[in-house]
Amino acid sequence: MDKKEVKKRIEELKKLVEYHAKKYYDEDKPEISDFEYDMLMLELSKLENENPELIVKTSLTQKVGGTVKEGFQKVEHEVPLQSLQDVFNFAEIENFVQRIEKQTLENGIEQPKYVVETKIDGLSAAIEYIDGKLVRGATRGNGLVGEDVTENLKTIKTIPKELPEKINMIVRGEVFISKRDFDKMNQEREKNDEELFANARNAAAGSLRQLDSNITKKRPLDMYIFNVQKIEGKEFNSHYEELEYLKEIGFNVNPVHIYCKNKEEILNAINKIGKDREKLTFGIDGAVVKVDDLELREKIGTTSKFPKWAIAYKYPPERKETVLKDIICQVGRTGVITPMAILEPVKVAGSTISKTTLHNEDFIKEKDLKIGDKVIIQKAGDVIPEIVKAVVSKRTGEELDYEMPRICPVCGAEAVREPGEAAIRCTGTECPAKLYRNLVHFVSREAMNIDGLGENIIGILLEKQMIANIADIYTLTFEDFASLKKNGNKFAQNLVDSINASKQNDLYRLITALGIRQVGVKASKILAKKFNNIDKLAKASSVELSYLDEIGPVVANNIREFFMQEQTMDLISKLKKAGVNTKRLEADTEDNRFEGKTFVLTGALEKYTRDEASKIIEEFGGKTSGSVSKKTSYVLAGEDAGSKLAKAEKLGITVITEEEFEEMCK
């Protein structure tokens, strides 16, 4: 390539790595594998090294990726949390050792020693102790400034809150989720038809970077400490000595740290970790080689991004070839139809893989997958099996194209893909695959508000085959409910009373309960007010619906398609026969003090979560928005409010505190 082409390619690569670094570090939603990202960084680094005049300080080869998430307080790291230089072959490890040994001779120091550790696949963080008590914890961020996640780190049981010695120190480690716990989390999310975590690293990062520590508390986070950043009143000669001390005072130290005396032992240690990686309880993405002597480290020094005394060897993902035998579809509890690849069983990274998700029809088209293809599979982050590509060169012509169904494979109702969405959903209201979730929603507080009929009871009713659709709730008797519990008469009577009371609910509650996509309480009230009864709503055209406030063309289309389904009209007919009200009652006296007002929430709120504040605003008829504009009425600002506050002040928007917000709500 000539200079012009090189410069163009460098600019392309910088944009690519910046985009993917943002997805990885800031949003915890990577779009490419770690290996693919590493290869982009490697190409960029190589081109920059060959053309040093094109290197700029803002390139991610020169700084640590990551920014501070809005809502967190910023923490300036007393000792920078640097990244590591990645290498991908043993020749580069040998070059590293030769460079260290040369510098050792120049400094008159004996043969250097090393420690080889696992490179844990998680989120790096630093914890500060004063007089032996945990006072602050922060994410790495950009290495110089991180996010204050003290309360979240305190929820991790393996992190000592108080040390046996009254000492001032800062330690650094990696927050992660074990392979077993990650599998359990994803199994639970799959059961609840929630989006699966892509890998354990991003699940851990997303869990630690929650604004609500109660959410973090529910996640199975762990942390291994691997470094002393700073300590007062104690001196150590070696890194290995530091690790032993950390273990003594109660820290959960990286369990794999191998002491090495020379290049051969280093390479053997890396090979051993690579061989044993599938046996480890936690995910890794490499092995780290560190100079053990702390005095020598000081003399070797660092760059703006990396310590020169350490290097990270990245293991290539293990890939295997197999056959894509078939594609089948599963229907989740929200009606999402997900294609699954049925594979010729093959062993990858220690486990036998016979099936994997294909996510959606876009994924199948992007990968150009056909039934009968030979495909390459790997485990993303050593955990989730995924198809990397089809081996097009091995096609025989007998492979079959695959089209996603437009009819639900479970109930036969129409399956649709909404504009802007990747998922195809079953529209059937009585689809057995959706029934549990539909029932839970139908009886919920914001819908029909049937008190006492919770998830557990619904599960039992389905298991005992006492109900087969939503309307069956209204056929259940006192005796039916009493049979579910020992001495269950009071429980049964309360349920019967609650079910009977729900028959008299206003129309908007029934509309909410039907679970029309993107139609919540607010939209249901608008629809009830406009149409007065369920039959008129069922006959409304998309055009008529789309002109209503808060509805619009997309939601209007959802409503129209919902009422065009035979299953929907069958359900409404059954509900009418059961005596459920389908008409609008006399309008409730509502407090719409925020009607026509738009709020933007920014910064860390002390008394509410953002969801709680938003709910209060909506209950009073107001709206919330994610961005500040001239149409914004108020900006509710918590601590460390950032760019949104600045923009509000520039536009002259009224900024209110939590105290002022509370006064407005009285």
Side-chain angles (χ1 to χ4, degrees):
M1 288 192 288
D2 61 28
K3 282 287 181 185
K4 192 175 179 181
E5 288 175 324
V6 169
K7 188 174 181 181
K8 183 182 176 186
R9 181 57 181 160
I10 285 175
E11 289 304 315
E12 286 174 353
L13 287 167
K14 280 184 352 191
K15 285 178 183 175
L16 274 172
V17 296
E18 281 168 11
Y19 173 80
H20 289 297
K22 188 173 190 299
K23 288 287 177 187
Y24 182 88
Y25 291 110
D26 299 341
E27 299 177 21
D28 303 315
K29 291 182 178 178
E31 292 181 355
I32 59 175
S33 69
D34 289 357
F35 184 75
E36 289 169 309
Y37 178 79
D38 288 340
M39 292 303 101
L40 290 173
M41 281 292 284
L42 188 64
E43 184 185 353
L44 176 59
S45 182
K46 185 172 182 292
L47 287 174
E48 286 183 342
N49 289 336
E50 291 170 355
N51 301 272
E53 72 280 4
L54 298 177
I55 297 175
V56 292
K57 287 183 179 179
T58 54
S59 173
L60 280 179
T61 59
Q62 309 300 308
K63 66 173 187 176
V64 176
T67 59
V68 175
K69 187 176 179 181
E70 188 177 342
F72 284 109
Q73 290 187 351
K74 293 180 181 179
V75 174
E76 288 189 21
H77 294 298
E78 197 170 336
V79 180
L81 271 62
Q82 292 187 302
S83 184
L84 288 164
Q85 184 180 355
D86 295 331
V87 297
F88 302 90
N89 57 63
F90 278 1
E92 290 175 286
I93 294 289
E94 290 172 1
N95 290 338
F96 167 76
V97 173
Q98 285 172 10
R99 177 169 57 79
I100 297 298
E101 289 181 348
K102 182 182 176 186
Q103 289 176 286
T104 303
L105 288 171
E106 290 171 357
N107 284 285
I109 297 174
E110 292 180 13
Q111 174 74 24
K113 307 296 187 295
Y114 306 87
V115 177
V116 177
E117 304 172 359
T118 48
K119 188 173 184 294
I120 301 160
D121 199 12
L123 182 72
S124 194
I127 310 174
E128 183 177 357
Y129 291 82
I130 295 178
D131 290 333
K133 291 184 179 178
L134 193 163
V135 295
R136 190 164 67 172
T139 61
R140 183 175 70 175
N142 64 9
L144 301 174
V145 179
E147 301 153 330
D148 190 328
V149 288
T150 308
E151 295 308 311
N152 292 354
L153 284 168
K154 283 180 178 178
T155 69
I156 301 175
K157 293 175 183 176
T158 53
I159 296 175
K161 313 305 179 288
E162 190 167 351
L163 303 175
E165 299 178 19
K166 290 189 175 181
I167 196 163
N168 296 343
M169 69 187 305
I170 300 172
V171 295
R172 181 179 175 184
E174 200 81 2
V175 176
F176 67 96
I177 293 175
S178 73
K179 292 176 183 176
R180 184 179 177 185
D181 285 335
F182 178 73
D183 284 343
K184 281 183 182 176
M185 281 178 67
N186 260 354
Q187 284 166 13
E188 192 60 33
R189 292 177 77 85
E190 188 172 20
K191 221 184 275 181
N192 295 327
D193 203 35
E194 296 174 315
E195 185 181 357
L196 299 186
F197 289 116
N199 54 53
R201 185 268 168 200
N202 293 99
S207 300
L208 184 64
R209 300 174 76 211
Q210 289 287 335
L211 294 172
D212 183 356
S213 62
N214 288 319
I215 297 173
T216 306
K217 191 175 182 179
K218 295 174 185 175
R219 304 280 171 84
L221 294 177
D222 203 341
M223 186 176 191
Y224 282 145
I225 304 300
F226 59 72
N227 204 45
V228 174
Q229 295 293 97
K230 179 186 174 184
I231 191 166
E232 294 178 8
K234 281 190 181 291
E235 288 189 10
F236 301 98
N237 295 316
S238 73
H239 175 61
Y240 202 87
E241 191 183 336
E242 283 181 337
L243 294 178
E244 292 302 304
Y245 171 73
L246 289 170
K247 276 198 288 187
E248 280 176 24
I249 61 173
F251 283 106
N252 205 18
V253 172
N254 186 343
V256 183
H257 47 278
I258 304 168
Y259 189 70
C260 299
K261 298 172 188 169
N262 52 46
K263 177 185 70 179
E264 287 70 28
E265 290 187 4
I266 290 171
L267 298 180
N268 287 338
I270 293 172
N271 276 328
K272 178 171 173 50
I273 291 172
K275 185 179 177 182
D276 294 343
R277 66 192 289 197
E278 64 194 50
K279 298 175 188 174
L280 295 172
T281 58
F282 53 93
I284 67 170
D285 61 351
V288 182
V289 183
K290 299 177 179 177
V291 169
D292 187 45
D293 188 297
L294 300 181
E295 184 183 349
L296 180 56
R297 285 186 183 184
E298 288 292 323
K299 290 179 178 177
I300 294 170
T302 70
T303 69
S304 59
K305 184 176 181 179
F306 309 120
K308 293 179 182 177
W309 43 262
I311 202 160
Y313 175 81
K314 301 293 283 285
Y315 297 103
E318 184 183 354
R319 294 181 170 185
K320 292 285 183 70
E321 184 180 297
T322 188
V323 178
L324 175 56
K325 294 167 65 179
D326 199 2
I327 298 175
I328 63 171
C329 282
Q330 296 180 338
V331 184
R333 287 180 177 172
T334 59
V336 173
I337 300 174
T338 304
M340 294 288 295
I342 305 301
L343 305 167
E344 190 72 45
V346 62
K347 195 164 187 178
V348 183
S351 58
T352 301
I353 309 301
S354 59
K355 65 179 182 178
T356 184
T357 180
L358 295 176
H359 304 291
N360 51 57
E361 67 177 340
D362 288 347
F363 182 88
I364 294 170
K365 287 175 182 174
E366 284 165 14
K367 300 285 184 184
D368 186 27
L369 300 176
K370 298 175 185 286
I371 295 171
D373 266 340
K374 288 198 167 50
V375 294
I376 303 296
I377 68 166
Q378 68 179 28
K379 275 192 175 181
D382 275 355
V383 179
I384 301 176
E386 64 179 6
I387 290 181
V388 179
K389 63 180 179 179
V391 187
V392 179
S393 61
K394 292 188 177 181
R395 282 182 177 160
T396 63
E398 295 182 7
E399 295 78 15
L400 302 172
D401 289 329
Y402 180 78
E403 289 292 330
M404 285 288 289
R406 288 314 192 254
I407 297 294
C408 174
V410 175
C411 72
E414 185 183 7
V416 299
R417 178 176 176 174
E418 302 295 347
E421 287 197 2
I424 292 175
R425 296 174 187 267
C426 166
T427 59
T429 56
E430 297 182 348
C431 179
K434 295 168 59 180
L435 184 56
Y436 173 81
R437 180 60 61 86
N438 288 349
L439 284 162
V440 170
H441 173 72
F442 187 86
V443 304
S444 64
R445 185 169 296 176
E446 70 274 13
M448 295 302 276
N449 193 24
I450 302 179
D451 191 35
L453 194 55
E455 294 182 15
N456 289 339
I457 301 300
I458 287 171
I460 293 168
L461 292 172
L462 286 170
E463 189 180 332
K464 291 180 175 290
Q465 298 183 350
M466 294 169 74
I467 52 175
N469 57 60
I470 287 168
D472 283 349
I473 290 171
Y474 293 97
T475 67
L476 294 168
T477 64
F478 173 90
E479 289 74 23
D480 290 329
F481 290 123
S483 69
L484 301 180
K485 286 190 177 184
K486 191 176 180 181
N487 301 320
N489 287 357
K490 187 177 179 183
F491 157 78
Q493 191 58 56
N494 288 340
L495 263 178
V496 168
D497 292 345
S498 189
I499 289 170
N500 286 334
S502 76
K503 293 179 183 180
Q504 308 308 314
N505 283 338
D506 202 350
L507 173 61
Y508 85 85
R509 283 193 171 275
L510 177 59
I511 297 170
T512 304
L514 290 173
I516 307 166
R517 291 199 62 236
Q518 296 176 293
V519 176
V521 176
K522 200 173 192 180
S524 295
K525 286 180 177 179
I526 291 166
L527 292 168
K529 192 174 182 180
K530 169 68 177 174
F531 295 102
N532 290 309
N533 68 61
I534 201 77
D535 295 323
K536 286 182 180 177
L537 174 59
K539 292 172 184 174
S541 69
S542 297
V543 175
E544 188 179 5
L545 290 162
S546 66
Y547 279 105
L548 292 174
D549 187 33
E550 297 291 332
I551 303 299
V554 174
V555 179
N557 192 50
N558 291 342
I559 297 167
R560 189 75 201 108
E561 285 182 347
F562 179 82
F563 283 107
M564 285 175 67
Q565 294 295 321
E566 189 178 327
Q567 290 180 21
T568 300
M569 301 317 295
D570 178 57
L571 172 61
I572 289 169
S573 175
K574 287 175 181 174
L575 290 171
K576 283 180 179 178
K577 284 179 184 175
V580 175
N581 174 59
T582 60
K583 296 178 181 178
R584 183 171 178 248
L585 304 176
E586 191 172 333
D588 298 328
T589 54
E590 294 182 8
D591 186 340
N592 288 320
R593 67 182 73 180
F594 293 154
E595 189 170 0
K597 305 294 183 186
T598 301
F599 289 72
V600 171
L601 313 181
T602 184
L605 302 177
E606 289 184 2
K607 299 181 180 180
Y608 311 92
T609 65
R610 291 198 182 189
D611 284 344
E612 287 168 348
S614 297
K615 192 172 181 182
I616 291 168
I617 290 163
E618 288 169 5
E619 282 175 353
F620 285 137
K623 291 191 282 187
T624 56
S625 174
S627 58
V628 177
S629 71
K630 290 179 180 178
K631 293 180 180 180
T632 304
S633 309
Y634 300 101
V635 170
L636 172 55
E639 285 188 26
D640 292 319
S643 58
K644 291 177 184 176
L645 176 59
K647 188 173 181 182
E649 289 170 345
K650 186 178 178 182
L651 293 173
I653 306 297
T654 303
V655 177
I656 58 173
T657 63
E658 282 188 79
E659 290 72 22
E660 289 170 322
F661 177 66
E662 284 188 319
E663 284 297 317
M664 292 169 71
C665 294
K666 284 182 180 177

